[in-house]
Amino acid sequence: MSAFFTQKQGELVPAPHARGPWSSDMLHGRLLGGLAARAIERRYAQPGLHFARLTVDLFRSSPMMPVTVETSLIRSGRRILVADAIISTEQGVIGRAGAVLLRQGEQPGGAQTFVTPAWDSPPPDAPPPVDGRVAWTPPFDLWRVTEWGEPGPGRVWVRERHPLVDEEPLTPFVRAGLAADFASPLSNAGVEGLQFINADYTLTLARLPAGELIGVETTGHLSADGVATGQVTMHDTAGPFGFCVVTALANPVAIGGRRS
């Protein structure tokens, strides 16, 4: 499968399948988070430091044009490293991201008062179904454990099909950064379709995901006056590994909806 972006003269040039679901000439926001995670990881990853948080601000939609990502070190201490990334096109800054890396150490003894349980959704054992009735086909594998638009918490499994940049293998951190954007459509979906577009997402990680499959499970949604916040639990085949929280705005163009 061809990559979402190709490196050319210091820029990342998007392929046609890098477009998002809201508009045919708009970059998918999930890819900007992936690019930020990739840039920060390539510059600041160190043995013993764990990527514990990634916050991605998506404050400006971008047309399908070349992207640049610049990183900066905010703080490098004995137990913490903080780094930022600025994502731009020739039209200006379209997003930013911040990452927190924490020093790993000995796990405290004793039991916690509460631990997020593993979900009871087994990993898929067949290729994802193809729905030819939708206007936008996700450029990644998607298994819906719960039906889109049905009342109640949503659950999906996702798996990347394309490299992010050229032929580079996806790292677990970049894979998690890409999958985290699905927190918005899953937690903010309504029975009439997705009517909120997210402005950001914050991924927190107790550990990095193992393997290619990532499960996303709705664990909260609140909205009022056209502003929403949603949260999900992130799983892999071994169990939960992190959380993601998003904020979103009501959008006049809905995506999907419950089919009769």
Side-chain angles (χ1 to χ4, degrees):
M1 292 289 184
S2 60
F4 288 109
F5 295 90
T6 300
Q7 293 188 99
K8 292 183 179 179
Q9 298 179 339
E11 294 183 319
L12 297 162
V13 181
H17 53 278
R19 72 180 183 93
W22 296 102
S23 173
S24 61
D25 62 353
M26 177 178 166
L27 278 172
H28 200 310
R30 68 188 290 272
L31 300 178
L32 303 184
L35 291 178
R38 169 185 175 269
I40 292 173
E41 184 177 37
R42 287 164 65 90
R43 183 78 182 273
Y44 300 112
Q46 298 179 24
L49 283 179
H50 166 68
F51 282 92
R53 176 174 66 79
L54 176 70
T55 295
V56 181
D57 292 317
L58 303 169
F59 46 73
R60 184 178 179 184
S61 60
S62 173
M64 296 280 288
M65 60 174 45
V67 174
T68 60
V69 185
E70 297 181 354
T71 62
S72 59
L73 180 65
I74 305 302
R75 164 68 176 165
S76 180
R78 186 174 63 88
R79 304 182 68 187
I80 186 170
L81 186 149
V82 181
D84 285 354
I86 298 294
I87 310 161
S88 306
T89 70
E90 65 178 20
Q91 295 183 347
V93 177
I94 59 173
R96 66 179 181 181
V100 173
L101 290 75
L102 299 178
R103 179 71 59 186
Q104 294 173 313
E106 184 178 352
Q107 177 72 6
Q112 297 296 121
T113 57
F114 175 78
V115 175
T116 298
W119 67 356
D120 56 358
S121 297
D125 57 3
V130 177
D131 189 348
R133 298 171 294 175
V134 296
W136 180 78
T137 302
F140 49 86
D141 290 333
L142 173 64
W143 293 264
R144 295 191 179 103
V145 180
T146 56
E147 286 300 318
W148 188 259
E150 290 291 331
R155 290 181 172 184
V156 300
W157 287 100
V158 298
R159 182 178 63 192
E160 297 299 325
R161 290 202 307 263
H162 299 268
L164 181 60
V165 177
D166 295 327
E167 297 180 0
E168 297 175 5
L170 290 177
T171 67
F173 181 53
V174 172
R175 192 180 299 277
L178 289 167
D181 182 77
F182 209 84
S184 182
L186 200 64
S187 65
N188 293 324
V191 295
E192 301 300 327
L194 177 60
Q195 300 184 78
F196 291 94
I197 184 169
N198 63 314
D200 64 30
Y201 61 89
T202 294
L203 171 68
T204 59
L205 298 166
R207 61 177 177 84
L208 293 175
E212 296 183 341
L213 284 169
I214 292 182
V216 187
E217 175 186 27
T218 303
T219 47
H221 169 89
L222 296 168
S223 56
D225 300 321
V227 176
T229 179
Q231 65 180 27
V232 300
T233 299
M234 310 288 289
H235 298 258
D236 60 14
T237 56
F241 63 84
F243 305 101
C244 188
V245 176
V246 302
T247 64
L249 287 166
N251 198 63
V253 180
I255 296 176
R258 187 175 178 181
R259 296 185 177 92
S260 59

